[in-house]
Amino acid sequence: MTAAAQKDINITSKGTFTADRLSSAEGYVNITVADNSNLHILDTQVNKGMNLRGSKVALDQVVHTGDSMLTMDISGVNETMADQVTVNVTSPKGVQFNNLKADQATIKGNTNRLDMRNTLTGTRAEMSNNYYTVVADNNPPQSIAGS
């Protein structure tokens, strides 16, 4: 699937949703996978922000085209915790996660500024920008035999 819009893209899907390319020239990309299935977008160009709901959310390449920070809000359906979130994003202005709820999250930002606001992670999260990498690992420590 490919979709382009001058303003917002709004999609509600039942079952797994996959898109090759989505482009919003002046607005937001809003997608909910109603039965908490998987959401996968290969290539996204977005001006203002993304609001995504699904069990597993994978954004292979997000390119931000706007003049202010890109805003993102990702969780499971009904604000529950998603099982897994993977985001690769490029933004010259920065990326602000207003909401991120995921058991496992990997956020790779090709940007100088990555702001995490309301963030809830379960097992593990790794977030990086051009300068720093932060890892939150909530797995129980593993003992090494013989130590």
Side-chain angles (χ1 to χ4, degrees), residues 81-85 101-105 120-125 136 138:
M81 192 179 286
D83 292 334
Q84 186 174 22
V85 171
K101 294 179 182 175
D103 181 48
Q104 297 179 29
L120 175 65
T121 60
T123 307
R124 188 173 198 282
N138 295 321

Side-chain angles (χ1 to χ4, degrees), residues 54-87:
S55 179
K56 290 184 181 178
V57 177
L59 305 175
D60 291 357
Q61 179 174 325
V62 177
V63 176
H64 176 223
T65 59
D67 293 331
S68 58
M69 288 183 75
L70 174 69
T71 61
M72 300 193 85
D73 183 326
I74 303 176
S75 70
V77 177
N78 299 322
E79 295 290 323
T80 60
M81 192 179 286
D83 292 334
Q84 186 174 22
V85 171
T86 304
V87 177

Side-chain angles (χ1 to χ4, degrees), residues 4 9 12 21 23 29 31 44 50 59 67 76 83 90-91 101 141 144:
I9 294 175
T12 300
R21 181 175 171 80
S23 178
V29 173
I31 302 173
T44 309
M50 299 183 79
L59 305 175
D67 293 331
D83 292 334
T90 299
S91 174
K101 294 179 182 175
I144 301 172

Side-chain angles (χ1 to χ4, degrees), residues 9-37:
I9 294 175
N10 299 299
I11 298 171
T12 300
S13 171
K14 290 185 178 181
T16 296
F17 176 83
T18 302
D20 295 321
R21 181 175 171 80
L22 298 179
S23 178
S24 172
E26 296 177 8
Y28 293 86
V29 173
N30 307 301
I31 302 173
T32 298
V33 182
D35 63 353
N36 216 25
S37 289

